[in-house]
Amino acid sequence: MVLSNNDGCVIARSNEAKALGVAMGAPYFHHKELFKKHNVKVVSSNYALYGDMSARVMAILSRFSPDIEVYSIDEAFLRFRGFERYDLQKYGLDIKRAVERSTGLPISLGFAPTKALAKLANRIAKKYPEQTGGVYTMENEGKRVKALKWLQIEDVWGIGRQYARMLRENKVNTALDFTNLPNEFVRDRMSVVGLRLKRDLEGRETIQPEEAKEKKAIACTRSFDEMYTDLEQLRERVSTFASVCGRKLRNQKSNCELVNVFVSSNPFREDLPQYYNSISVRLPYPTSSTIHLTKAAIIGLDRIYRKGYKYKKAGVIVMGISPDTQRQLNMFLPLDHRQGPLMKAIDRLNIMNGHDLVRFGGMDLKRKWKMNRNHLSPNYTTRIEDIIKATS
């Protein structure tokens, strides 16, 4: 099992662990005895290790196709245009062996004419590794129809709970049933996005590869290592979160015009009073300055803070993001041109010497804040002290 931030909930499970019946998102402390009884290996989230291993996998995949779309940290789409003479089943096994030999990570691959069908082919390869070898090629119409008949509607890529419920109510139980619906019905009930999905499942390439896009919102949210009641403690946390958002904005050369702040008590402590609130504060003009973002975040926090509650989580979300080149200023509030060079200098120092070297006054200057990660695995590939040692 892999745990979320602060070792809170289960976010990933091996097949053996799934067999124990622990649901995704289940609170870790509810199942401690079960894990101990069945000798389940539990590890904390290790983002440095995951990110590095993901980059290695994607680099290997890019050797097999010049056209790759990294869809998430553990998933990618590869386009094989011009590979008509290749035996894709054999080629897929070559890819799988290359990744596993270089990283030790098992992967599955699905070949199909469209992205939605490739997701389905991959699902079959993963579900039946012994029969497929971890690679499934949907090379003809018969295989497409058979796969669609096998796939339940709620398991179709892009169909969420509400759509699945609506479709079930209309006697649509499988992906094949979905493709047999009239186009007008799908467009009316699921918009043009649903119609694109239907066409993709029919084998007509409609869902195009996504281009790299700048984020429309940037968030920094954390559960605390303990419950806080003091406003000053929350101010320090919110200031730190605003600083992280500012750095991410500057990394993508963007500004924001809206800062949202939220606080929450611990929903798992039913014996305590519960409180959740959020507020958005509009900035006078788009900015990525940590100074301005922190001021706005603290203003918001002060407005929603209530005494008498024990807070377990807070966060800052910046929205209304626009690129540096499209900045709408305020004629009544002149822009402070010192902010840009100051932020660049601070970012440069922190990149060279670690993110904690230069901090702002609202942040705790002494304490190093860390998540609870009591089951953290070593950073085998990113930290020389943790590198695997071979002994004779």
Side-chain angles (χ1 to χ4, degrees):
M1 305 273 190
V2 180
L3 303 178
S4 63
N5 291 347
N6 285 316
D7 291 346
C9 301
V10 174
I11 58 171
R13 304 156 295 164
S14 67
N15 289 331
E16 297 84 355
K18 288 178 184 178
L20 292 175
V22 179
M24 181 71 79
Y28 167 58
F29 65 88
H30 280 179
H31 301 282
K32 274 186 178 180
E33 292 305 316
L34 178 68
F35 297 157
K36 187 175 180 180
K37 177 181 177 182
H38 293 280
N39 196 29
V40 176
K41 176 68 175 176
V42 177
V43 293
S44 303
S45 297
N46 189 334
Y47 301 113
L49 178 62
Y50 303 160
D52 182 69
M53 295 304 293
S54 174
R56 291 170 186 243
V57 170
M58 301 309 169
I60 295 167
L61 294 178
S62 65
R63 300 205 307 255
F64 291 88
S65 171
D67 193 348
I68 179 172
E69 175 194 345
V70 179
Y71 185 68
S72 67
I73 194 171
D74 64 348
E75 191 170 10
F77 289 101
L78 281 73
R79 187 186 291 273
F80 291 95
R81 186 173 282 138
F83 285 70
E84 289 79 12
R85 295 183 180 275
Y86 277 65
D87 181 341
L88 291 180
Q89 183 70 22
K90 181 179 179 301
Y91 198 58
L93 291 171
D94 290 342
I95 297 172
K96 181 176 170 65
R97 278 192 293 267
V99 172
E100 292 179 1
R101 184 173 61 245
S102 298
T103 66
L105 296 175
I107 65 169
S108 56
L109 293 94
F111 290 92
T114 69
K115 287 178 73 171
L117 289 174
K119 288 277 291 185
L120 173 50
N122 179 274
R123 190 182 187 93
I124 293 170
K126 188 174 181 180
K127 180 78 173 176
Y128 304 104
E130 293 183 4
Q131 296 92 321
T132 64
V135 178
Y136 186 77
T137 308
M138 196 181 291
E139 72 268 16
N140 57 53
E141 180 66 6
K143 281 192 172 183
R144 183 188 74 85
V145 173
K146 185 178 180 181
L148 292 176
K149 193 181 294 184
W150 168 78
L151 187 66
Q152 295 299 299
I153 191 62
E154 54 268 14
D155 295 328
V156 174
W157 179 49
I159 290 186
R161 258 185 226 167
Q162 291 185 343
Y163 279 144
R165 189 183 305 114
M166 180 273 292
L167 290 168
R168 286 277 187 185
E169 289 170 356
N170 284 275
K171 310 260 188 278
V172 177
N173 299 314
T174 67
L176 185 62
D177 295 336
F178 178 65
T179 60
N180 290 332
L181 287 172
N183 287 343
E184 295 75 18
F185 176 89
V186 176
R187 188 190 299 109
D188 180 57
R189 303 295 294 271
M190 300 176 64
S191 79
V192 70
V193 176
L195 187 58
R196 288 192 192 122
L197 174 60
K198 177 179 180 290
R199 287 173 175 165
D200 230 54
L201 290 170
E202 291 170 344
R204 296 183 285 172
E205 188 177 4
T206 310
I207 302 175
Q208 298 299 321
E210 294 182 7
E211 298 178 357
K213 298 177 182 177
E214 292 180 342
K215 295 178 180 179
K216 299 302 180 185
I218 292 174
C220 181
T221 68
R222 296 285 186 274
S223 294
F224 307 141
D225 52 353
E226 58 184 87
M227 290 184 285
Y228 297 151
T229 57
D230 186 61
L231 177 59
E232 288 305 316
Q233 290 177 306
L234 290 172
R235 281 177 174 169
E236 192 283 328
R237 288 285 71 206
V238 166
S239 297
T240 301
F241 301 159
S243 174
V244 172
C245 290
R247 185 174 71 245
K248 290 181 178 180
L249 279 170
R250 296 190 291 273
N251 284 344
Q252 71 170 37
K253 295 180 172 55
S254 298
N255 301 295
C256 75
E257 55 183 316
L258 205 64
V259 177
N260 179 274
V261 182
F262 76 85
V263 292
S264 174
S265 56
N266 189 342
F268 298 110
R269 289 292 303 272
E270 297 178 358
D271 56 316
L272 297 175
Q274 296 295 314
Y275 177 69
Y276 172 88
N277 205 350
S278 67
I279 190 171
S280 294
V281 179
R282 185 168 294 277
L283 296 162
Y285 50 78
T287 182
S288 62
S289 167
T290 296
I291 296 173
H292 293 321
L293 298 181
T294 301
K295 285 182 178 178
I298 293 301
I299 289 172
L301 173 65
D302 288 348
R303 289 176 182 171
I304 62 174
Y305 171 78
R306 298 290 182 272
K307 286 184 178 180
Y309 294 97
K310 294 186 176 182
Y311 296 93
K312 183 61 177 175
K313 187 174 184 179
V316 173
I317 306 168
V318 295
M319 298 175 287
I321 294 177
S322 58
D324 274 340
T325 53
Q326 302 174 12
R327 198 174 192 186
Q328 181 65 51
L329 301 181
N330 189 321
M331 65 181 295
F332 300 107
L333 293 170
L335 178 67
D336 186 348
H337 293 284
R338 298 172 297 175
Q339 297 280 334
L342 174 61
M343 294 301 127
K344 283 183 181 179
I346 290 172
D347 290 343
R348 194 181 308 117
L349 286 168
N350 284 335
I351 288 171
M352 294 171 61
N353 301 280
H355 287 313
D356 290 333
L357 180 69
V358 180
R359 307 190 200 184
F360 291 83
M363 301 164 65
D364 191 312
L365 303 180
K366 296 178 181 179
R367 180 176 176 184
K368 288 185 178 293
W369 293 85
K370 294 183 179 180
M371 288 188 293
N372 279 335
R373 293 196 285 181
N374 298 320
H375 309 279
L376 187 64
S377 56
N379 292 332
Y380 297 110
T381 64
T382 60
R383 194 164 179 257
I384 194 66
E385 293 88 347
D386 292 342
I387 195 168
I388 296 174
K389 298 177 179 64
T391 56
S392 58

